């Protein structure tokens, strides 16, 4: 199992932005195809639904030079299948369409301003249904998967995130599972045991069982990341409704705002 097709949302080409370099590294390691997609700054503040002004916006045209440069950069790193496109709509709409044919999207968290974290980036994660690897602001390090923290509360979102992370979990030297054990009380649904699931995929994890309020979930996950100096945090996105996340906060918002390591999120 591997991410066969990776999408990297680029914010610059000279030099290549962090999402591109991370996407190239992952694609080279797992033998994946890679799509680089440049998102114009004017499109990075747009919510999910385009406005009339959005439709009239003149975006940067695709460049044959950029296509060639991207192909060369990817090939030199060991990526054999690479494509380059320029977005014509906002982040959420772009991710929704491109996500349908990709297994992983690599995104820079600071491609949107802090004020648009939930309305723009959060909406994009929610709409695309593809696992998203969110890089923290100013990311300039090598992407690593040696130590990984998993947050699971029994929600379908967290289960999807664990399933999507299997290729990375298999190469990790240390996996810590933080099981919040928050269930919705519907006994008709099959119970998911993340520890057993990981063992069946050949992944031994150190379980940590935590009972806390949803409001503290993000804080607990970030603390565990710091405790083991993790390279990656895996978690579901928006385990509650968007309105409740916006009004009461939540793990998604807390982690998006304060994580200092890449975060693999899945709705």
């Amino acid at each position: 199992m591997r991410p066969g097709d990776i999408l990297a949302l680029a914010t610059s080409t000279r030099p290549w932005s962090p999402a591109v370099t991370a996407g190239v590294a992952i694609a080279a390691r797992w033998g994946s195809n890679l799509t680089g997609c440049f998102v114009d700054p004017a499109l990075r503040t747009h919510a999910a639904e385009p406005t009339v002004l959005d439709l009239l916006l003149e975006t940067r045209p695709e460049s044959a030079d950029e296509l060639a440069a991207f192909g060369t950069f990817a090939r030199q790193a060991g990526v054999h299948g690479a494509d380059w496109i320029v977005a014509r709509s906002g982040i959420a709409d772009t991710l929704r369409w491109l996500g349908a044919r990709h297994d992983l999207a690599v995104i820079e968290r600071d491609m949107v301003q802090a004020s648009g974290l939930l309305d723009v980036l959060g909406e994009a994660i929610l709409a695309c249904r593809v696992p998203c690897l969110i890089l923290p602001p100013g990311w300039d390090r090598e992407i690593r998967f040696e130590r990984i923290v998993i947050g699971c509360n029994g929600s379908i979102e967290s289960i999807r995130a664990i399933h999507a992370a299997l290729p990375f979990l298999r190469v990790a030297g240390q996996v810590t599972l933080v099981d919040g054990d928050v269930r919705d009380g519907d006994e008709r649904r099959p119970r998911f045991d993340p520890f057993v699931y990981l063992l069946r995929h050949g992944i031994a994890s150190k379980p940590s069982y935590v009972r806390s309020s949803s409001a503290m979930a993000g804080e607990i996950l970030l603390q565990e990341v710091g405790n083991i100096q993790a390279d990656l945090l895996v978690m579901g996105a928006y385990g509650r409704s968007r309105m409740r996340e916006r009004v009461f906060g939540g793990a998604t918002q807390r982690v998006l705002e304060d994580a200092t390591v890449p975060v693999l999120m899945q709705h």
Side-chain angles (χ1 to χ4, degrees):
M1 184 176 180
R2 66 184 180 91
D5 292 278
I6 296 172
L7 169 67
L9 294 189
T11 57
S12 67
T13 58
R14 296 173 184 171
W16 297 109
S17 66
V20 172
T21 56
V24 165
I26 296 170
R29 182 167 182 175
W30 273 274
S32 311
N33 299 312
L34 177 67
T35 301
C37 177
F38 178 78
V39 184
D40 192 280
L43 294 173
R44 298 175 202 164
T45 59
H46 294 204
E49 295 299 326
T51 66
V52 174
L53 290 177
D54 295 343
L55 298 175
L56 296 176
L57 180 68
E58 289 288 338
T59 57
R60 176 168 132 184
E62 293 181 2
S63 163
D65 291 340
E66 283 184 352
L67 172 61
F70 180 72
T72 299
F73 179 61
R75 283 193 302 274
Q76 289 176 344
V79 179
H80 301 294
D83 195 14
W84 177 258
I85 58 178
V86 174
R88 293 286 181 264
S89 58
I91 298 172
D93 192 55
T94 297
L95 264 181
R96 186 167 64 90
W97 282 97
L98 292 179
R101 58 184 174 93
H102 288 86
D103 303 302
L104 177 71
V106 185
I107 307 170
E108 299 152 29
R109 191 182 77 201
D110 51 356
M111 76 183 303
V112 302
Q113 296 180 352
S115 59
L117 200 57
L118 290 184
D119 289 334
V120 180
L121 189 57
E123 184 65 34
I125 296 170
L126 191 73
C128 70
R129 297 300 179 94
V130 68
C132 295
L133 183 65
I134 313 297
L135 304 179
W139 181 257
D140 59 359
R141 290 182 281 165
E142 178 186 356
I143 194 80
R144 294 170 56 86
F145 303 100
E146 179 61 28
R147 294 181 294 274
I148 301 177
V149 171
I150 303 172
C152 183
N153 62 357
S155 68
I156 193 168
E157 294 83 7
S158 63
I159 296 170
R160 285 176 178 150
I162 294 173
H163 181 73
L166 284 176
F168 310 129
L169 294 168
R170 286 196 177 104
V171 301
Q174 179 179 353
V175 176
T176 298
L177 171 66
V178 180
D179 187 357
D181 197 33
V182 176
R183 307 293 184 249
D184 60 12
D186 191 340
E187 299 299 330
R188 296 170 299 176
R189 296 175 180 174
R191 177 178 171 79
F192 175 75
D193 187 323
F195 184 73
V196 172
Y197 178 78
L198 292 172
L199 281 178
R200 286 176 177 169
H201 285 275
I203 301 162
S205 64
K206 176 185 176 183
S208 175
Y209 297 99
V210 178
R211 289 190 179 277
S212 69
S213 65
S214 298
M216 290 297 297
E219 180 67 29
I220 290 170
L221 290 175
L222 293 178
Q223 285 178 358
E224 193 60 41
V225 166
N227 289 342
I228 71 166
Q229 297 183 321
D231 304 305
L232 177 71
L233 171 61
V234 175
M235 61 180 290
Y238 292 103
R240 302 181 295 177
S241 71
R242 279 174 291 176
M243 181 58 69
R244 286 181 59 82
E245 287 273 356
R246 187 165 294 134
V247 174
F248 299 108
T252 305
Q253 181 176 355
R254 177 74 169 87
V255 170
L256 281 176
E257 288 176 344
D258 296 320
T260 57
V261 299
V263 182
L264 182 69
M265 286 187 169
Q266 167 106 52
H267 178 69

